[in-house]
Amino acid sequence: MRVAPVAWIVVAGLVLLLSWLSVRAVNPEAEQFDRSLTEIDHFSMLENALYRDVYSVRTGTLRNYDPLVREIDALHDSLRRLRSISVIDDETKAAVDRLADSVDRQEHLVEHFKSENALLHNSLSFFVRFSAHSPSTDLNPTIGATAAAMLQLTLDTSPAAAQEVQNRLDQLRQMTAGQTEVAASVEALLAHGGLLHDLLPSVDNRLRALRALPRKEEQDALRGLVLIRETASRNAARRYRGALYATSLFLVGFLAYLAIQLKSRANALQRRAAFEHVIARISMRFINARPQDLGREIDHAVAALAACVGSDRAYFVVSGACHHLHLWCRPGTSLPAGWPQRAAELADRLDPTDDGVVHVPQVKRLPISEEKAMLTALGLDGWACVISPSKDGSVVTLGFDAIGRPCRITAPGELNLLRMALDTIVHGLTRHTMEKERTRLEANLRRARRLERIGTFTSGIAHNFNNILGGILGHSEVMEERLGTDARLIRHLASIRRGAERARDLIDQILAFGRRRDARPRTLNAQALITEAAVLLTVALPEGIELVVDEPSVIAIVSGEPAQLQQVILNLCNNAVQAMEGQGRVAIDMEVHDLEVTRRFAHDELQPGRYACITVSDTGRGMDEATLSRIFEPFFTTRSSGNGLGLATVIEIVREHNGAIHVQSRPGEGSRFEVWLPCVATSEPAAELEAPEVAVGHGETVLIVASDGVRVLRDEEMLAALGFEPVGFTTAEAALAACRAKPDRFDVFIVGYLGSCALSLELATALHAVAADVPIVLGTRSTEEIGADTLVAAGISDVVRWPVVAEEIAATLARRSGSRTGSTRRVLALAATPSMR
């Protein structure tokens, strides 16, 4: 939602713009213009009233000058109002100023008019009174003619009329000259007549000047300017209303866009929440799943993710040495050839992000390229995928295909969740692998503690049995030397000697089970082991038990200790005999199998390679699932006379020889035990084969550290003889410094006794911190106080007794040196299920 602040800013800006346009659209100056025009009309009325009153005063119908004063004042007030409401710009201000100048001139003319008109009316009044009440003299005609001329001048102030009045006045002045009795009264008349002669034209000139003022033009000019401004304002308001309408439409459109975006983001959040819920549910299922159900849980996870994102195909692919595939397809869809095995390669060519995500919403929109052609050839219209390389060189891919429509994964948050989904599956596998490793270490620790107690017990009696057997063998040899040629007695003594030797081998096996005594592996013919075991079994089998040995089609050469491998066959056959209760059939056969992929059994797992499979089957009572899950536990037995060590010894010997055991059994249908051993060589039965000595190691570099220098030298010689390249140290500091200097130099670490178990664990932890992918084997004198959690935290892969013996360390190194990464790193290989194969 990063665009939210920008959206709010845009909306706020649009609202402010709409508010301003709304104010402008209603034409706020219209009232001002109307008031201006009204005031101009009022001003015109005042001027007209002034002129009317001026003429009324001139004609004598108005004797009071107060209306003129009020009208002049009203004009000035109207001018002040016009200045306040009509001054819009410089042009209107100049028009108002011109109107004010006109008012000033009118006021000036009116003031002069009032003064002159007052004198005029005063003189006219005197002249009229004198004419009406003058004494009867011979001057009356002349005075009457003068009054008539004066009356004419009041109506016509032309120069001719004025000259006529002047002539009459001059005539009257001449007639009164020398008549002292009328001179005083006529003198006043002549004075007023002269005044009227001057005032009447002057007053009319004032009126003409007042009328000549361009008052109408000034008003019309101001009115025209106001009307022009009003028209412009109305047009601007009309344009603002158009802009207001357009802005309103834009705001509505933008709000609709925001609503669509909000809905889209709400849907994206819902999809993200649903995606996260699916991932959380997948994680919980992985937490609660049993190790054997991991493949089914991955299938369920892929299907759930595909349903969540609306994909037509979804897959989880592991490419590399261990190839695995989990696939989900919508009904009606099919897979192109080679797909999705090539998904990781194609994703790498499409330039994935730092998180390994590749997103192609629509394939048709890609530029023309080889990658587009490949996607089109695969029938994809949209594709989303995430890849993750691992340390062992394999690549994990989680992909979703869209067919016939674009990819529905669009939001960046959903693309990030693809990585989370992949990590959830991988982490679930890692967690189960860690739990499996922890369980294995706990089992090894319990076994080591049990074997330690058994070793303590058996070591006390082993020497006594060996002494007894030594005496039997010694006496047998003496008797054989002194018997001479009696073949029958020699044969019996040879049988006694072989039985004693077999008993000594059994004692050695007890010691090997309890104390892991040094055993020298060598190449063996597997069929010869079976044949020798069959000879020993034939004598001891009950009468009702039939032993059948099938001849193999090839000769298989294995590497191991003969007595131990023969003990495996004998123990399995004895178990079969005891399961048949005196009546039945025991069959032994051997075949050679080439495994191309990792094969998992109920108790073991085999890597690809060639193996000799020795099978012991019986027709006994069989076993149920509960018994099958525990048959290899030490001291577990279903017979009251059993000790529970037979099958425990078998599986330990087979695992020490890098093999595995597979058991098939059902109640009432007998049992089938398959012993898988690595095959060194094979040949036809008729061929002569001289089996060479085969070393356990293949030049792997082994770091061994212990405080006893003599012991370290001896162990280096032993490891070199087993085919490894040992590098010994007598101090923890030196070993740690060598590891830090070149961590990739070593393939296995062996941490022996350094004075205390705590110091050995401390060094193991430090080595694990420097080279986390290198297996660590801990040699300890006692395992009583070591917990499985402590071993996991220190990065320890296996525990052996200290001092180490060749047989035990050879078996351990054979398991650990084949891969630089421990079992906790082999996450994907351990996740193999039938659906992945």
mmCIF file of all heavy atoms in Angstrom, residues 367-384:
data_model
loop_
_atom_site.group_PDB
_atom_site.id
_atom_site.type_symbol
_atom_site.label_atom_id
_atom_site.label_comp_id
_atom_site.label_asym_id
_atom_site.label_seq_id
_atom_site.Cartn_x
_atom_site.Cartn_y
_atom_site.Cartn_z
ATOM 1 N N PRO A 367 9.319 -11.070 -25.154
ATOM 2 C CA PRO A 367 9.941 -10.822 -26.453
ATOM 3 C C PRO A 367 10.341 -12.135 -27.110
ATOM 4 O O PRO A 367 10.531 -13.157 -26.444
ATOM 5 C CB PRO A 367 11.167 -9.969 -26.097
ATOM 6 C CG PRO A 367 11.441 -10.267 -24.662
ATOM 7 C CD PRO A 367 10.119 -10.544 -24.019
ATOM 8 N N ILE A 368 10.462 -12.090 -28.399
ATOM 9 C CA ILE A 368 10.815 -13.303 -29.129
ATOM 10 C C ILE A 368 12.194 -13.775 -28.680
ATOM 11 O O ILE A 368 13.186 -13.045 -28.736
ATOM 12 C CB ILE A 368 10.802 -13.039 -30.643
ATOM 13 C CG1 ILE A 368 9.399 -12.642 -31.092
ATOM 14 C CG2 ILE A 368 11.297 -14.268 -31.399
ATOM 15 C CD1 ILE A 368 9.307 -12.267 -32.556
ATOM 16 N N SER A 369 12.254 -14.992 -28.193
ATOM 17 C CA SER A 369 13.509 -15.555 -27.688
ATOM 18 C C SER A 369 13.377 -17.067 -27.649
ATOM 19 O O SER A 369 12.291 -17.636 -27.844
ATOM 20 C CB SER A 369 13.832 -15.016 -26.289
ATOM 21 O OG SER A 369 12.817 -15.362 -25.377
ATOM 22 N N GLU A 370 14.486 -17.707 -27.372
ATOM 23 C CA GLU A 370 14.482 -19.164 -27.271
ATOM 24 C C GLU A 370 13.678 -19.619 -26.065
ATOM 25 O O GLU A 370 12.994 -20.645 -26.108
ATOM 26 C CB GLU A 370 15.929 -19.665 -27.165
ATOM 27 C CG GLU A 370 16.038 -21.187 -27.163
ATOM 28 C CD GLU A 370 17.483 -21.656 -27.098
ATOM 29 O OE1 GLU A 370 18.386 -20.786 -27.194
ATOM 30 O OE2 GLU A 370 17.697 -22.866 -26.967
ATOM 31 N N GLU A 371 13.744 -18.826 -24.965
ATOM 32 C CA GLU A 371 12.996 -19.182 -23.768
ATOM 33 C C GLU A 371 11.488 -19.128 -24.030
ATOM 34 O O GLU A 371 10.726 -19.999 -23.569
ATOM 35 C CB GLU A 371 13.356 -18.244 -22.606
ATOM 36 C CG GLU A 371 14.762 -18.435 -22.055
ATOM 37 C CD GLU A 371 15.821 -17.838 -22.962
ATOM 38 O OE1 GLU A 371 15.448 -17.012 -23.841
ATOM 39 O OE2 GLU A 371 17.013 -18.190 -22.800
ATOM 40 N N LYS A 372 11.038 -18.082 -24.765
ATOM 41 C CA LYS A 372 9.617 -18.001 -25.100
ATOM 42 C C LYS A 372 9.195 -19.192 -25.948
ATOM 43 O O LYS A 372 8.102 -19.763 -25.750
ATOM 44 C CB LYS A 372 9.335 -16.687 -25.834
ATOM 45 C CG LYS A 372 7.873 -16.524 -26.225
ATOM 46 C CD LYS A 372 7.626 -15.191 -26.919
ATOM 47 C CE LYS A 372 6.149 -15.040 -27.300
ATOM 48 N NZ LYS A 372 5.887 -13.740 -27.964
ATOM 49 N N ALA A 373 10.045 -19.584 -26.877
ATOM 50 C CA ALA A 373 9.736 -20.742 -27.719
ATOM 51 C C ALA A 373 9.628 -22.011 -26.869
ATOM 52 O O ALA A 373 8.734 -22.840 -27.094
ATOM 53 C CB ALA A 373 10.793 -20.892 -28.802
ATOM 54 N N MET A 374 10.517 -22.140 -25.879
ATOM 55 C CA MET A 374 10.463 -23.322 -25.018
ATOM 56 C C MET A 374 9.173 -23.328 -24.200
ATOM 57 O O MET A 374 8.508 -24.373 -24.080
ATOM 58 C CB MET A 374 11.688 -23.332 -24.103
ATOM 59 C CG MET A 374 13.010 -23.541 -24.820
ATOM 60 S SD MET A 374 14.438 -23.428 -23.708
ATOM 61 C CE MET A 374 14.119 -24.817 -22.636
ATOM 62 N N LEU A 375 8.800 -22.179 -23.619
ATOM 63 C CA LEU A 375 7.568 -22.117 -22.830
ATOM 64 C C LEU A 375 6.351 -22.392 -23.696
ATOM 65 O O LEU A 375 5.415 -23.085 -23.272
ATOM 66 C CB LEU A 375 7.448 -20.745 -22.170
ATOM 67 C CG LEU A 375 8.454 -20.428 -21.050
ATOM 68 C CD1 LEU A 375 8.362 -18.968 -20.643
ATOM 69 C CD2 LEU A 375 8.209 -21.322 -19.844
ATOM 70 N N THR A 376 6.355 -21.855 -24.913
ATOM 71 C CA THR A 376 5.232 -22.100 -25.815
ATOM 72 C C THR A 376 5.162 -23.568 -26.206
ATOM 73 O O THR A 376 4.066 -24.157 -26.279
ATOM 74 C CB THR A 376 5.370 -21.221 -27.070
ATOM 75 O OG1 THR A 376 5.478 -19.839 -26.669
ATOM 76 C CG2 THR A 376 4.185 -21.395 -27.982
ATOM 77 N N ALA A 377 6.310 -24.165 -26.458
ATOM 78 C CA ALA A 377 6.334 -25.587 -26.813
ATOM 79 C C ALA A 377 5.820 -26.457 -25.676
ATOM 80 O O ALA A 377 5.243 -27.522 -25.904
ATOM 81 C CB ALA A 377 7.747 -26.007 -27.211
ATOM 82 N N LEU A 378 6.001 -26.010 -24.451
ATOM 83 C CA LEU A 378 5.513 -26.758 -23.295
ATOM 84 C C LEU A 378 4.026 -26.524 -23.048
ATOM 85 O O LEU A 378 3.461 -27.113 -22.126
ATOM 86 C CB LEU A 378 6.302 -26.355 -22.039
ATOM 87 C CG LEU A 378 7.777 -26.765 -22.023
ATOM 88 C CD1 LEU A 378 8.497 -26.106 -20.860
ATOM 89 C CD2 LEU A 378 7.904 -28.282 -21.919
ATOM 90 N N GLY A 379 3.408 -25.653 -23.840
ATOM 91 C CA GLY A 379 1.981 -25.386 -23.686
ATOM 92 C C GLY A 379 1.644 -24.473 -22.535
ATOM 93 O O GLY A 379 0.506 -24.468 -22.060
ATOM 94 N N LEU A 380 2.614 -23.678 -22.074
ATOM 95 C CA LEU A 380 2.399 -22.806 -20.926
ATOM 96 C C LEU A 380 1.946 -21.424 -21.396
ATOM 97 O O LEU A 380 2.520 -20.850 -22.324
ATOM 98 C CB LEU A 380 3.689 -22.670 -20.109
ATOM 99 C CG LEU A 380 4.262 -23.955 -19.514
ATOM 100 C CD1 LEU A 380 5.518 -23.656 -18.725
ATOM 101 C CD2 LEU A 380 3.237 -24.636 -18.626
ATOM 102 N N ASP A 381 0.917 -20.893 -20.742
ATOM 103 C CA ASP A 381 0.488 -19.515 -20.970
ATOM 104 C C ASP A 381 0.911 -18.605 -19.831
ATOM 105 O O ASP A 381 0.893 -17.381 -19.967
ATOM 106 C CB ASP A 381 -1.030 -19.467 -21.140
ATOM 107 C CG ASP A 381 -1.470 -20.177 -22.404
ATOM 108 O OD1 ASP A 381 -1.345 -19.578 -23.480
ATOM 109 O OD2 ASP A 381 -1.920 -21.332 -22.305
ATOM 110 N N GLY A 382 1.248 -19.155 -18.694
ATOM 111 C CA GLY A 382 1.761 -18.411 -17.546
ATOM 112 C C GLY A 382 2.568 -19.352 -16.681
ATOM 113 O O GLY A 382 2.311 -20.570 -16.639
ATOM 114 N N TRP A 383 3.563 -18.803 -15.988
ATOM 115 C CA TRP A 383 4.467 -19.670 -15.213
ATOM 116 C C TRP A 383 5.010 -18.898 -14.034
ATOM 117 O O TRP A 383 5.399 -17.725 -14.153
ATOM 118 C CB TRP A 383 5.614 -20.148 -16.098
ATOM 119 C CG TRP A 383 6.459 -21.225 -15.466
ATOM 120 C CD1 TRP A 383 6.032 -22.273 -14.730
ATOM 121 C CD2 TRP A 383 7.885 -21.346 -15.540
ATOM 122 N NE1 TRP A 383 7.092 -23.053 -14.339
ATOM 123 C CE2 TRP A 383 8.245 -22.508 -14.816
ATOM 124 C CE3 TRP A 383 8.885 -20.600 -16.137
ATOM 125 C CZ2 TRP A 383 9.563 -22.923 -14.679
ATOM 126 C CZ3 TRP A 383 10.201 -21.018 -16.013
ATOM 127 C CH2 TRP A 383 10.537 -22.162 -15.296
ATOM 128 N N ALA A 384 5.028 -19.554 -12.864
ATOM 129 C CA ALA A 384 5.672 -19.023 -11.662
ATOM 130 C C ALA A 384 6.465 -20.159 -11.037
ATOM 131 O O ALA A 384 5.972 -21.289 -10.931
ATOM 132 C CB ALA A 384 4.644 -18.483 -10.673
#
